[in-house]
Amino acid sequence: MKQKPLRARAAAAGPPGAAGAGAACELSELRPGQSVELLKELHILTRDGRLNQDSRRKLKQVYHLFNLIEPLLAELAAQGPGPVLADHGAGKSYLGFILYDLYFKALGRGHIYGVETRAELVERSRRLAQALGFERMSFLHASVAESADSGALPARIDLVTALHACDTATDDAIAFGLQKQARAMVLVPCCQAEVAACLRQDKALQLARTPLAELWRHPLHTRELGSQVTNVLRCLHLEASGYQVTVTELVGWEHSLKNELIIARYTGQRKRSAAERLHAILRAFGLEKMLAARFDPEAAPAASAGEDPAR
């Protein structure tokens, strides 16, 4: 291919300084104190410090999540020497690195543990943390379930995050948080298939037993209802275990269909009514035998403030 003359290439690039001005404008979108080198390593910024459409969307999502998590970190930091955070299904640890860069670095204390099953991503994150001088970040090659009994993690964790942990990995993250007596959890469930599979098994029987089974007669509805029921059960499980639960959107639906964000704060007030409703839903959908153990509030740590019988 014949290369354009130098003058033509310069004209296409715009007036002198345009590229630098554009990059400066894009950098103005970053948070104060944000490490440009970190964003380049995470491929949120290009090597010349620019944002493309995909990376701008990714940055917007990460910052939105940071806005939701920062108040939790501030509360936890005010209550003790931490905060100590465990990020499950960490992947490339976008969230962990951004939280450290924008919050933990200036705080001067606390620790972030990234838990990931892919060894190459764990090693990559270790190298990046070392290169950036993020000394209070550690990375564990393990599944969520395996990490609960790992000696590499402390006995108590203040905040548990699990973003897009597939299928039952979100439940494993909740079980981890309960075992570690986490004071808060931030969860974005993904690809919930277990309940849908259970609904399919006894579909004919349920259709004969109750007209409500029409809600999952068609395969697409089975999948959607299974996902909805799963998250409702998770919220009830958390409330029955002593947490105050808020459910909201992570980002707009135009960005992701895996969009439900569950934020749980530990209050110690176990809701007896939540446990009763949880088991009633399991019975209504014929899920008791398969899921009762997974959503057992008795597995939660003892509530410090007792049970709230009126709620």
Side-chain angles (χ1 to χ4, degrees):
M1 181 183 294
K2 184 181 291 186
Q3 193 175 34
K4 290 182 179 179
L6 180 60
R7 183 177 297 175
R9 298 205 310 270
C25 180
E26 289 171 344
L27 290 179
S28 69
E29 298 180 38
L30 306 185
R31 292 295 190 97
Q34 177 79 76
S35 168
V36 172
E37 288 308 310
L38 169 63
L39 296 183
K40 288 180 180 180
E41 290 294 335
L42 295 178
H43 303 294
I44 292 177
L45 286 178
T46 62
R47 285 300 172 189
D48 58 352
R50 303 297 296 267
L51 282 166
N52 58 37
Q53 184 176 356
D54 181 63
S55 60
R56 180 174 277 107
R57 183 171 60 248
K58 187 177 296 183
L59 184 66
K60 180 181 178 181
Q61 292 178 22
V62 171
Y63 279 168
H64 178 63
L65 191 55
F66 174 78
N67 287 338
L68 295 171
I69 293 178
E70 185 182 23
L72 293 174
L73 291 173
E75 290 176 20
L76 295 171
Q79 295 169 10
V84 177
L85 182 151
D87 181 27
H88 288 291
K92 295 180 181 179
S93 293
Y94 283 90
L95 177 63
F97 280 114
I98 293 294
L99 288 174
Y100 193 99
D101 193 37
L102 292 180
Y103 189 84
F104 283 76
K105 186 169 63 177
L107 185 65
R109 54 190 170 90
H111 202 103
I112 294 177
Y113 293 89
V115 181
E116 172 56 46
T117 57
R118 289 166 287 184
E120 68 277 11
L121 296 184
V122 171
E123 185 56 36
R124 178 184 181 278
S125 295
R126 286 172 179 165
R127 290 197 301 267
L128 180 55
Q130 184 176 16
L132 294 170
F134 291 3
E135 298 177 351
R136 288 172 286 111
M137 289 191 78
S138 303
F139 301 91
L140 179 64
H141 176 215
S143 68
V144 181
E146 291 168 344
S147 68
D149 299 316
S150 172
L153 294 175
R156 295 288 297 271
I157 297 289
D158 296 314
L159 176 60
V160 173
T161 60
L163 306 186
H164 302 121
C166 283
D167 201 14
T168 59
T170 297
D171 300 306
D172 292 337
I174 292 174
F176 173 94
L178 295 178
Q179 180 176 326
K180 297 291 187 178
Q181 299 184 7
R183 289 188 278 170
M185 301 189 212
V186 177
L187 312 164
V188 180
C190 182
C191 306
Q192 301 94 314
E194 186 183 32
V195 168
C198 295
L199 291 174
R200 290 188 194 100
Q201 286 184 8
D202 297 322
K203 185 180 293 187
L205 176 62
Q206 294 296 332
L207 280 167
R209 188 177 70 88
T210 171
L212 286 177
E214 290 293 335
L215 293 172
W216 68 95
R217 178 160 65 93
H218 298 287
L220 177 61
H221 293 161
T222 303
R223 186 181 68 194
E224 292 176 347
L225 181 66
S227 177
Q228 179 78 354
V229 169
T230 301
N231 288 340
V232 169
L233 291 172
R234 286 166 174 163
C235 292
L236 289 171
H237 181 41
L238 286 164
E239 289 177 342
S241 302
Y243 288 81
Q244 180 187 53
V245 176
T246 302
V247 181
T248 186
E249 290 183 358
L250 173 59
V251 290
W253 290 105
E254 69 274 12
H255 296 305
S256 174
L257 294 178
K258 310 300 181 183
N259 195 39
E260 187 167 332
L261 174 65
I262 300 172
I263 301 175
R265 288 180 171 87
Y266 186 71
T267 65
Q269 298 292 332
R270 294 175 183 260
K271 291 186 179 180
R272 188 174 62 195
S273 62
E276 292 170 350
R277 290 170 184 172
L278 188 157
H279 288 291
I281 290 174
L282 291 175
R283 286 193 301 271
F285 285 94
L287 301 172
E288 262 192 314
K289 290 182 180 179
M290 298 176 183
L291 300 180
R294 181 179 294 279
F295 296 107
D296 181 11
E298 296 305 318
S304 59
E307 183 185 78
D308 183 354
R311 301 183 66 186

